[in-house]
Amino acid sequence: MAHVRAYRVLPAFGLSLGFTLAYLSLIVLVPLAAVVLKTATLSLPAFWQAVTSPRVLASYRLSFGASLLAAAINTIFGFLLAWSLVRYRFPGKRIVDALVDLPFALPTAVAGIALTALYAKNGWLGQYLEPLGIKVAFTPLGVLVALIFIGLPFVVRTVQPVLEDLDTEIEEAAASLGARRWQTVWRVVMPTLFPALLTGFALAFARAVGEYGSVIFIAGNLPMVSEITPLIIITKLEQYDYVGATAVASVMLAASFVLLLIINGLQGWTDRRSAKVR
Amino acid sequence: MILRFSRRHALALGTALLFVAPLGAEAQTTLLNVSYDPTRELYQEFNAAFVKHWKEKTGVTISIKQSHGGSGKQARGVIDGLEADVVTLALAYDVDALNKKGGLIPADWQKRLPNNASPYTSTIVFLVRKGNPKQIKDWSDLARPGVEVITPNPKTSGGARWNYLAAWGYALRQTGGSDATAKGLVSKIYRNVKVLDSGARGSTTTFVERGIGDVFISWENEAYLAIKELGPGKLEIVTPSISILAEPPVAVVDKVVDKRKTREVATAYLQYLYSPEGQDIAGKHFYRPRDAAAAAKYARQFVDVKLITIDEVFGGWDEAQKTHFADGGVFDQIYGQ
């Protein structure tokens, strides 16, 4: 026989890989390539000027800063929520469980308007916060609130199934082997959950960076203060500056991609580490 | 749950199709009017009037759809392929874009209808809270520390560009006024701006519903509308000593009407805006009519204010846009300081 082919155990590898690549290209890569191609019509100095003007830089700081912070807060409280939902039984649990998904389903504009109405100085919460000197609506804090709102389900829904799979017996075993409470949490529970927490963090972060609808209503949208990068892109479009808009978009794309790569790498690292521990 | 396609479902579907089919078959003539933010109510009434007028004149029933949003966004939508038979936007610059960026209309579009293709005009006024607690009388009061100002972002909102230019024009017309004093005044005003919405209607909501700000720089018609909606007694209109003559222009989109074969009805639609009926509806919705009779009828509701024009003070929209609102222009400099 002139040619021996190694057969895989699972059939249809070629077909599924082909499908995967074709599908990804069509749905993801082609639109993104359009962004890059459109940007490429810009000369390098013009590109640099478009993506590093002070207003745009301020918007990166707000968009990425608020998104990271919101994702971090969501990771902590999303974990607590998931823990309560999985480990305890309490009345109304199913309702709480369903509520978690609400930010997914709600049109983001509705979320934005509701949050603004709530936190404006004549709103339910705003009227009490404003006298204390806490301004939420129309400030960067408002941006953070909106991003926390829309990012919450991502953490809960990624951590929850992993927690459900985590047998309480393992914890009992740890306890019977003499581990203290915090040792059990830190050395037994956390390593198993860490990849899921990271995934939740990454998803919440990615969603927050791209969020437009809910933020726009509560942000105030002041240049240099409360303008998010997606708004800069829209603003440029509305001035017929298509190339400038795609230039900023490509920077956002690259930054998000690098951050997600880092998080993925971190995940791989923790996976390997926990595998070694076992 | 597994969905089974039963006979009953088939029957329901068939019945549904029966109702839907005639709509598609008859191919009723439709017009799409792509407009800017505060004209919703105006065109709702005007469209109904025109449909009736067209039916009486030709026997044909048409239907008119309207689309509203920030003027720049709307123009971009049309350039990107939104099939608008007519556009009725906030400023000539955005209609010009249909010529310059899209090649959808000829360069001389403003000559095709009377009055620079603006069937009605408007101006910029202040909306303040009842009793005018901050004693706001004129543009210079907006620059005072402690006064919170609401206006949309001039980069995205047509109305906001008129606001900005009116303030600039006011400063120029003061004794000793120069570009430097104008920039000073406008900078101070924008330092007092706490929320910069992307469109005029968004700003109205911020000021009226959310209760943010002491003064809202607004289209005259939008200000009257806000008072009408909210009931008098909560807000007051203050007319500054100098404002700007805003001429919201209209145009038939040639490329679209030729493709959709709607040129005749689209042109008639815009011409009807100049008719006594159209002018009356404009006045009713607080736009300043061009027609003498309608203007006289509604004269009482408009304060006589000294109006500067964009051409005499700023040398036209292209110049104004380049100097003030383009990236790196004066507006960016104000926020970059």
Side-chain angles (χ1 to χ4, degrees), chain A residues 49 53-55 112-114 116-118 120-123 130 135 137-139 212 216-217 219-227 231 234-242 244, chain B residues 70-73 75-77 79-80 93-95 97 101 148 153 155-157 161 190 193-198 206 208-213 321 325-327 331-332 335-336:
Chain A
Q49 207 199 347
S53 73
R55 251 180 89 196
I113 292 169
T116 312
L118 211 59
K121 72 175 180 196
N122 58 2
E130 203 98 332
K135 286 192 177 184
F138 312 118
T139 66
Y212 176 76
I216 235 56
F217 292 96
N221 307 327
L222 289 180
M224 309 298 294
V225 180
S226 50
E227 240 181 354
L231 177 67
I234 301 268
T235 309
K236 283 193 185 289
L237 281 178
E238 290 182 1
Q239 297 174 84
Y240 315 111
D241 181 9
Y242 289 46
Chain B
S71 190
K73 177 166 74 185
R76 186 173 53 81
I79 293 168
D80 287 348
Y93 181 79
D94 287 328
V95 183
K101 317 265 171 185
E148 285 195 1
N153 188 338
K155 291 208 163 214
T156 49
S157 158
R161 265 173 253 176
Y190 277 93
V193 173
K194 295 296 175 252
V195 182
L196 212 54
D197 288 289
S198 65
T206 302
V208 176
E209 309 279 338
R210 308 267 171 271
I212 307 282
Q321 181 74 23
F325 308 120
D327 278 350
F331 181 73
D332 275 350
Y335 274 100

Side-chain angles (χ1 to χ4, degrees), chain B residues 30-336:
Chain B
T30 59
L31 280 186
L32 174 61
N33 174 4
V34 170
S35 192
Y36 62 111
D37 237 356
T39 55
R40 288 178 174 78
E41 294 76 12
L42 164 69
Y43 280 108
Q44 244 157 36
E45 184 168 351
F46 177 77
N47 288 349
F50 179 74
V51 167
K52 194 160 151 265
H53 164 78
W54 194 247
K55 170 95 180 161
E56 278 163 10
K57 196 178 156 200
T58 64
V60 180
T61 306
I62 58 163
S63 80
I64 301 167
K65 285 182 266 178
Q66 44 190 110
S67 159
H68 299 272
S71 190
K73 177 166 74 185
Q74 294 292 78
R76 186 173 53 81
V78 175
I79 293 168
D80 287 348
L82 177 64
E83 290 201 324
D85 301 280
V86 298
V87 289
T88 54
L89 296 175
L91 40 95
Y93 181 79
D94 287 328
V95 183
D96 262 339
L98 299 189
N99 165 249
K100 290 190 179 129
K101 317 265 171 185
L104 297 171
I105 56 172
D108 67 343
W109 63 271
Q110 227 163 355
K111 305 263 184 307
R112 297 191 296 186
L113 286 164
N115 304 100
N116 288 334
S118 303
Y120 41 77
T121 67
S122 191
T123 188
I124 302 300
V125 298
F126 306 149
L127 202 57
V128 298
R129 311 260 171 226
K130 183 184 166 49
N132 197 358
K134 295 268 166 119
Q135 287 302 306
I136 287 151
K137 302 259 164 60
D138 214 339
W139 291 99
S140 51
D141 294 319
L142 306 191
R144 282 202 321 247
V147 172
E148 285 195 1
V149 179
I150 300 294
T151 175
N153 188 338
K155 291 208 163 214
T156 49
S157 158
R161 265 173 253 176
W162 292 111
N163 296 352
Y164 172 107
L165 294 174
W168 193 281
Y170 162 84
L172 283 183
R173 289 293 160 91
Q174 303 308 300
T175 38
S178 67
D179 277 346
T181 62
K183 190 175 171 183
L185 178 81
V186 172
S187 303
K188 278 190 200 144
I189 291 177
Y190 277 93
R191 218 157 286 154
N192 283 344
V193 173
K194 295 296 175 252
V195 182
L196 212 54
D197 288 289
S198 65
R201 197 41 72 82
S203 283
T204 310
T205 310
T206 302
F207 184 77
V208 176
E209 309 279 338
R210 308 267 171 271
I212 307 282
D214 303 308
V215 53
F216 170 36
I217 316 176
S218 164
W219 286 105
E220 184 176 46
N221 59 288
E222 186 82 350
Y224 279 105
L225 187 73
I227 288 188
K228 203 170 106 186
E229 296 287 310
L230 212 74
K234 285 194 177 158
L235 301 169
E236 289 176 14
I237 289 176
V238 172
T239 311
S241 64
I242 292 180
S243 195
I244 195 161
L245 176 71
E247 298 184 299
V250 300
V252 166
V253 185
D254 297 71
K255 279 271 170 64
V256 176
V257 294
D258 287 345
K259 185 180 153 206
R260 300 189 63 229
K261 311 219 174 345
T262 49
R263 181 180 285 278
E264 190 197 355
V265 55
T267 309
Y269 176 76
L270 291 187
Q271 277 163 352
Y272 194 63
L273 280 169
Y274 291 87
S275 73
E277 296 81 13
Q279 290 286 296
D280 188 68
I281 293 171
K284 206 162 134 196
H285 289 273
F286 309 106
Y287 289 86
R288 296 183 175 216
R290 297 278 197 182
D291 176 61
K297 183 178 168 192
Y298 291 101
R300 265 187 308 130
Q301 72 189 25
F302 300 117
V303 181
D304 205 12
V305 49
K306 199 164 20 149
L307 296 175
I308 57 169
T309 72
I310 180 117
D311 289 331
E312 72 184 28
V313 179
F314 300 95
W317 267 114
D318 273 338
E319 274 305 305
Q321 181 74 23
K322 217 165 44 207
T323 317
H324 294 280
F325 308 120
D327 278 350
V330 178
F331 181 73
D332 275 350
Q333 292 162 24
I334 285 172
Y335 274 100

